[in-house]
Amino acid sequence: MATQRINGSEAVIKSLLAEGVDTIFGYPGGAIMPIYDALYDYDQEVTHYLTRHEQGAIHAAEGYAKVTGKVGVCFATSGPGATNLITGLADALIDSIPLVCISGQVASPLLGTDAFQESDVVGISLPVTKWNYQVTHAEEIPEAIAKAFHIALTGRPGPVLIDIAKDAQFAQIDFEYKKCTKIRSYLPEYPVDPFQVKAAADIINEAKKPIVLFGHGVVLGGAEAELKEFVEKTGIPAAWTLLGLSALPSEHPLNVGMLGMHGNYGPNIKTNEADVVIAIGMRFDDRVTGKVAAYARQAKIVHLEVDPAEINKIIHADAPVLGNAKKSLRMLIDNVAPNSHQEWLNEFRACDKIEYEKVISHDIHPKKVGLTMGEVVRIASEKTNNDAILVTDVGQQQMIASRYFKFTQSRSNVTSGGLGTMGYGLPAAMGAKIGRPDRTVFSMSGDGGFQMTIQELGTISQYNLDVKIIILNNNFLGMVRQWQQLFFEKRYSFTEMKNPDFVGIAKAYGLASQKVTSRDQLEGAIQEMLDHNGPYVLEVVVEQEDNVFPMIPTGASISDILLEP
Ligand SMILES: Cc1ncc(C[n+]2csc(CCOP(=O)(O)OP(=O)(O)O)c2C)c(N)n1
């Protein structure tokens, strides 16, 4: 490519274009104004969405990245703009979301002087980025951005932050862009070792009661087809983590449900009865394992994982397989014998029956007067033929939605898993809709989390983003209230909320809206929301003191999962 004489700001934009970026979320300010000025001339090539808060921008970038598999990009100014990205960076790091964030910084001669809106964002973001870097010379810009994209997307993905001093944004350079494909001493993905695969296959071929636990690594590795082929060839029941959800269709006969604290009864109980546990792209998070000392002690553990730091971190692997899930599974499929485990699978289905009678039927087909979150989720899923993208916030509604919403395609479940970030849902749903305008996108939040980023209704309105927004309003910080009820003698310490008129707020933003308070209104309202051409806010007033069950109390074994209080 011939070189061009341009300033650092234009170099930022051209570098992003060279990486195929066509969507940016952001919020301007003094230290990033030259970059925004350069952006002004590129409105044909790239669409910038002005959010209402930098946290909104970064969560939108996360939602966009999750549904597209591309890198999410966001801009923020220095100081408070950059620090407002920190929660999103932490969220993206723990959930392995590829992001490239660009923050403006004060001019390099002012660094370290407590200049106006100076903050050490490289220092602050160090533990919550996969990589970060401060640019003080314009010449560094193309290489820094090329590295940023390579690091964000390769191996175990994650967020990268590039902080660019204002003088570097102004300075002229001879621009030339070379994509980065390799960095010394950065080995994002190990080649799969056939001996490791063989050892894993030998264990799997001997197994009488095997279970697959699959996680986000399957989605990030693009290994959905291989996962399906693997479980179908071996006949092994497969359970998912919160972030693995939607990698295998909900109605697949070998899909046995959700793991962990509010997961399904069968997969939790049976993990502690299995003779072989095959963990694929999951990291044995404490929400999944419960008490580690009582977790799958009887089982041989096979662990397919791209990040060597995850192997033997929580659970010792008898047969680790290091590498990308798609490649590892492909090799494993060739090494395992066809099998079926029908009797073992029937044991899961017997557990499902117990759970259905004790919990699920009451959640999704309630007989009581008050509305349940479960019935709202069931109807929303049914009315979209189980084919929508579901974006949830954090709390009871997140667990209920993950349990009862059904999926037919991958990359359809967007949620804050590892960090549990309230306020994530609404902006992430905007990003999801921008990434997949062809699909129905639901945003489901509690009344608490919704109010953490409620201002993004402004962004949704400005760009007419057709997000179907459901607020499940129990007038409580529901999940915390549930714990207070169960473990703190019902001492409801600061969890009750006096809420605003959500419909009035939606209308003030120019959005269609409706409030539902009784069952006879519910289906019709959801249909109306879906029929409406454009964004819609539906407030559903649900029972105040409903609980999410099953539940594994903190510190308890997964075998002690409770179906009722
Ligand atoms: C930013 C942030 N602050 C606090 C929490 C702790 N927390 C977890 S769930 C929850 C309650 C959520 O209430 P709401 O949004 O109304 O949803 P519900 O549980 O009622 O569905 C709280 C406060 C959190 N996860 N994130």
Side-chain angles (χ1 to χ4, degrees):
M1 195 206 267
T3 62
Q4 286 172 285
R5 190 84 186 151
I6 56 176
N7 71 14
S9 299
E10 198 174 352
V12 169
I13 308 298
K14 279 189 170 291
S15 301
L16 295 176
L17 292 177
E19 291 291 344
V21 172
D22 59 12
T23 304
I24 299 170
F25 304 91
Y27 207 97
I32 197 169
M33 280 185 70
I35 292 175
Y36 268 88
D37 188 61
L39 187 60
Y40 195 71
D41 291 327
Y42 285 88
D43 62 340
Q44 295 304 308
E45 290 88 347
V46 63
T47 308
H48 175 278
Y49 293 89
L50 174 67
T51 57
R52 296 299 179 268
H53 190 291
E54 290 84 355
Q55 187 184 354
I58 192 164
H59 290 329
E62 288 185 87
Y64 176 89
K66 271 205 172 177
V67 300
T68 61
K70 296 195 234 170
V71 175
V73 176
C74 83
F75 285 178
T77 193
S78 67
T83 57
N84 278 345
L85 297 179
I86 299 300
T87 299
L89 289 170
D91 192 275
L93 185 74
I94 201 164
D95 280 354
S96 313
I97 313 291
L99 298 183
V100 169
C101 300
I102 299 205
S103 53
Q105 182 55 281
V106 301
S108 56
L110 296 177
L111 283 168
T113 66
D114 297 333
F116 179 63
Q117 294 193 326
E118 180 184 5
S119 74
D120 175 13
V121 68
V122 169
I124 297 168
S125 67
L126 186 69
V128 289
T129 48
K130 188 173 172 189
W131 182 60
N132 68 11
Y133 185 73
Q134 186 171 70
V135 169
T136 50
H137 295 93
E139 295 75 21
E140 300 171 281
I141 286 171
E143 194 185 338
I145 291 180
K147 263 176 138 173
F149 275 82
H150 179 62
I151 291 171
L153 206 50
T154 48
R156 180 179 183 169
V160 172
L161 180 122
I162 305 290
D163 192 40
I164 308 181
K166 199 169 178 180
D167 49 334
Q169 299 173 34
F170 278 125
Q172 296 284 318
I173 59 164
D174 292 322
F175 177 76
E176 189 186 3
Y177 196 79
K178 280 199 217 90
K179 278 205 179 194
C180 173
T181 52
K182 203 168 184 291
I183 297 171
R184 188 173 61 83
S185 72
Y186 171 60
L187 185 57
E189 199 183 301
Y190 288 77
V192 184
D193 177 349
F195 290 102
Q196 288 196 332
V197 173
K198 177 75 172 57
D202 287 348
I203 291 175
I204 294 166
N205 286 335
E206 291 296 307
K208 299 280 174 278
K209 294 181 165 195
I211 181 170
V212 162
L213 317 180
F214 64 92
H216 202 194
V218 170
V219 179
L220 294 167
E224 294 91 341
E226 287 75 11
L227 172 70
K228 186 161 167 285
E229 194 179 333
F230 173 73
V231 296
E232 285 175 357
K233 182 169 182 186
T234 55
I236 300 177
W240 36 272
T241 70
L242 187 60
L243 296 184
L245 176 53
S246 90
L248 187 68
S250 308
E251 304 289 11
H252 190 283
L254 289 163
N255 187 332
V256 292
M258 175 173 166
L259 295 162
M261 183 172 270
H262 293 291
N264 293 111
Y265 184 56
N268 275 307
I269 295 279
K270 296 292 165 192
T271 300
N272 270 2
E273 293 174 17
D275 59 352
V276 173
V277 166
I278 305 144
I280 307 174
M282 58 83 78
R283 60 186 175 85
F284 295 106
D285 174 65
D286 56 276
R287 283 295 189 267
V288 161
T289 62
K291 184 179 179 180
V292 171
Y295 183 80
R297 288 289 137 180
Q298 77 297 338
K300 286 199 170 136
I301 309 285
V302 173
H303 194 178
L304 278 60
E305 172 57 50
V306 74
D307 182 356
E310 292 298 346
I311 291 185
N312 297 333
K313 185 180 89 176
I314 307 288
I315 299 293
H316 172 76
D318 298 287
V321 180
L322 193 55
N324 164 283
K326 189 179 179 76
K327 294 176 191 161
S328 303
L329 275 171
R330 172 57 38 220
M331 288 168 69
L332 198 55
I333 290 163
D334 296 339
N335 279 272
V336 287
N339 206 340
S340 93
H341 294 278
Q342 195 55 48
E343 271 176 45
W344 169 235
L345 183 63
N346 292 346
E347 292 183 31
F348 285 82
R349 298 308 173 204
C351 288
D352 291 349
K353 216 163 159 248
I354 296 169
E355 185 179 343
Y356 189 85
E357 275 156 27
K358 289 212 171 222
V359 182
I360 300 173
S361 61
H362 306 291
D363 277 351
I364 64 175
H365 296 290
K367 301 263 186 301
K368 60 186 173 189
V369 176
L371 287 167
T372 64
M373 295 184 180
E375 63 186 311
V376 182
V377 171
R378 174 184 59 79
I379 295 168
S381 187
E382 283 172 3
K383 284 202 173 290
T384 47
N385 299 320
N386 305 330
D387 200 34
I389 290 176
L390 171 71
V391 187
T392 49
D393 205 75
V394 169
Q396 290 184 311
Q397 103 292 143
Q398 176 188 35
M399 294 296 117
I400 292 282
S402 307
R403 286 171 54 76
Y404 299 131
F405 206 85
K406 294 202 160 81
F407 298 93
T408 47
Q409 33 177 326
S410 187
R411 294 193 176 276
S412 298
N413 172 53
V414 178
T415 198
S416 168
L419 204 66
T421 307
M422 281 173 73
Y424 171 91
L426 186 64
M430 306 181 327
K433 185 66 196 180
I434 290 162
R436 289 302 304 267
D438 55 318
R439 298 188 62 195
T440 301
V441 174
F442 284 109
S443 158
M444 238 179 238
S445 303
D447 44 304
F450 188 70
Q451 290 181 79
M452 283 205 172
T453 46
I454 191 169
Q455 71 280 359
E456 296 307 335
L457 289 175
T459 314
I460 286 170
S461 173
Q462 180 166 349
Y463 301 101
N464 195 31
L465 302 172
D466 187 1
V467 180
K468 306 305 184 193
I469 301 158
I470 302 180
I471 308 165
L472 293 167
N473 182 4
N474 51 15
N475 282 97
F476 268 113
L477 297 174
M479 188 56 96
V480 179
R481 186 213 52 76
Q482 172 169 346
W483 284 50
Q484 289 172 334
Q485 179 185 346
L486 300 176
F487 309 115
F488 292 87
E489 296 161 354
K490 232 179 163 180
R491 286 154 56 88
Y492 289 168
S493 180
F494 300 102
T495 43
E496 199 168 355
M497 282 214 148
K498 179 176 186 290
N499 283 322
D501 168 10
F502 288 117
V503 170
I505 287 178
K507 293 207 163 135
Y509 276 108
L511 302 176
S513 184
Q514 184 176 178
K515 178 175 179 172
V516 162
T517 53
S518 67
R519 189 157 295 126
D520 56 327
Q521 305 168 306
L522 182 62
E523 270 209 57
I526 293 178
Q527 191 59 53
E528 217 172 288
M529 170 170 73
L530 290 168
D531 291 343
H532 178 78
N533 186 13
Y536 197 102
V537 178
L538 181 67
E539 177 190 357
V540 183
V541 178
V542 294
E543 285 251 300
Q544 285 209 299
E545 295 183 65
D546 252 354
N547 290 328
V548 187
F549 276 97
M551 178 172 193
I552 302 164
T554 319
S557 160
I558 51 170
S559 298
D560 298 327
I561 185 168
L562 303 171
L563 285 164
E564 53 206 353

